[in-house]
Amino acid sequence: MAEKRITVPAFAKVNLTLEVLGCRTDGYHALRSIVQQISLFDTVTVARANGFHSNSGFEFDLALKAAQTLANAAGINEGVSIEIVKRIPVGGGLGGGSADAAATLLALNDLWEIGWSREKLAAVAAQIGSDVPALVLGGTVLMQGRGEIVSPLFDQRTQLKEFYLVLVNPGVFCSTKEVYLKCNSRLQEDPRILYNMSSALQSGDEKRIASAMMNDLQISAVKLHPEITAALKALEERGTLGAMMSGSGSTVFGLVSNEAEGRKIADEMRKRGFWAECVHTIVR
Ligand code: C5P
């Protein structure tokens, strides 16, 4: 019998909003973020093996950690080999390592015939990394706590429109830890941030979505890596709707009204020496 292999896409994310609400006693920061899955993806393939192996070469491999954590949680006494084809920039604020971990959980849920819901897998995901639960749920997610409290932002009856984004990476690696260490938490919660983005997403109006984008980590990331400003400026000058950093950086993104325009802008950004892609949002 042929060896069973399961291949799944590991979709990246952008943070449409990211509020830092305070520093917790465990050293993490309390967050509130609207996380949006996007069509840029790595590919993750899992197969049964002796022991746990991955081809990533990363010292801290979140996909490997995901496999070990799921095996423990579900009482599976088997190993696995994981093959990852990388396309998502590393250290770019697009949740690449977390996307690989989330995809590994989903693929192993299938390979090992565990049969857990995404919600149950998201609870396991919280032990792996702060962005992993949101990427297990997928689509448009409200993320709170240090990242472990996740729920779909809209119920299934809400018909969301896909929209296009141009991602631009200035080629610098942002350490999530350093960016959080340098950031200032907001002194007061502002309920309008969440309300404005949710209602903009429901309206499907790209201009409204763009004007509701915000990220409390952008100031500290730009201080550490001034190159991020050049990427933000490049998008602003080219007239994308909004220009904002994702997560702890260094990738920035702007909205466009259609795919053709997005591809053209991404081409121009590559000619200027940036890594760039036109992507669309993933709606569940
Ligand atoms: O959970 P993850 O490994 O992705 O986080 C990396 C680092 O980012 C943490 O060690 C912490 O310093 C910082 N972080 C934080 N607050 C969060 C998420 C991450 O301070 N909510």
Side-chain angles (χ1 to χ4, degrees), residues 216-232:
D216 279 338
L217 296 177
Q218 186 166 297
I219 292 175
S220 59
V222 163
K223 271 190 203 145
L224 285 164
H225 300 287
E227 298 88 339
I228 296 170
T229 312
L232 288 165

Side-chain angles (χ1 to χ4, degrees), residues 27-29 31 129-130 146 176-177 180:
Y28 281 84
H29 288 77
L31 306 178
S130 302
R146 70 167 174 86
T176 306
K177 198 171 193 149
Y180 271 104

Side-chain angles (χ1 to χ4, degrees), residues 17 34 153-154 190-203 205 208-214:
T17 62
I34 297 178
L153 186 62
F154 301 106
D190 183 352
R192 285 171 303 181
I193 292 172
L194 191 56
Y195 174 79
N196 287 347
M197 182 55 83
S198 319
S199 56
L201 286 168
Q202 268 176 303
S203 76
D205 179 342
R208 279 186 61 190
I209 299 170
S211 62
M213 294 185 323
M214 56 77 64

Side-chain angles (χ1 to χ4, degrees), residues 11 46 56 70 119 149 182 195 242 246 271:
F11 293 112
V46 295
S56 78
L70 183 62
E119 287 70 23
I149 306 170
K182 282 240 168 346
Y195 174 79
S246 178
K271 283 186 190 132

